[in-house]
Amino acid sequence: MTNADPPCPSAIMKFSLVAALVVVLAIGCESGSLVKRDIPAEIETLTKYFQDAIETVKSHELISQAQGYLEEGKTQITPLTDKIQEHAEKIQEQMKPFVSDIEKQVRPMADNLQAQFMPLVDKMQAQFKPLADDLQAQMEQLFQTVVDQTKALLPPQ
């Protein structure tokens, strides 16, 4: 984004009208030549061209305004985000002793609970392992049976 101010819409409109007038005069002077031109069609084409040019300039103005608003909003929000970050860091520092105390209290209970449950988990795993292995073997056998029967149904190659 440049620091230069965008051109005034009325100045652009005046310039466009002057340019259109010059083009129309040039076409009018040339109409006396040997080649006859379709002046209304050319004027319509030029009018459309200038209307498109004006719309393009207006859209650039809108983009510039939007960018300006965004920059202004960013400028206003930056101090707020800095303050929020600062407060969050202060709260985190204040919470560290509490979190540390809670962790010190909960850690022995968690370790104790884990020590009590690990033998149960190991026992359950030892009981389920043979069942899981048997189920896997049965599933593999079933799959192989389905494959064999499917092959038997296929026409010979």
Side-chain angles (χ1 to χ4, degrees), residues 38-55:
D38 186 13
I39 293 177
E42 289 181 6
I43 290 176
E44 185 177 317
T45 303
L46 288 173
T47 302
K48 181 170 178 4
Y49 171 77
F50 285 112
Q51 286 173 344
D52 291 345
I54 289 169
E55 290 300 318

Side-chain angles (χ1 to χ4, degrees), residues 6-16 54 57-58 61 65:
C8 178
S10 64
I12 293 170
M13 195 64 115
K14 288 177 186 175
F15 173 75
S16 298
I54 289 169
V57 169
K58 285 181 180 177
E61 286 179 23
Q65 286 178 348

Side-chain angles (χ1 to χ4, degrees), residues 31-93:
S31 68
S33 67
L34 296 175
V35 179
K36 255 203 160 200
R37 294 183 176 248
D38 186 13
I39 293 177
E42 289 181 6
I43 290 176
E44 185 177 317
T45 303
L46 288 173
T47 302
K48 181 170 178 4
Y49 171 77
F50 285 112
Q51 286 173 344
D52 291 345
I54 289 169
E55 290 300 318
T56 302
V57 169
K58 285 181 180 177
S59 68
H60 286 304
E61 286 179 23
L62 290 175
I63 290 171
S64 297
Q65 286 178 348
Q67 287 175 340
Y69 291 140
L70 287 174
E71 289 296 322
E72 184 179 327
K74 184 179 177 182
T75 303
Q76 291 175 356
I77 289 177
T78 301
L80 293 175
T81 56
D82 291 344
K83 285 182 182 179
I84 290 171
Q85 179 69 29
E86 191 177 301
H87 287 303
E89 289 171 359
K90 285 180 183 177
I91 290 171
Q92 186 178 10
E93 285 298 318

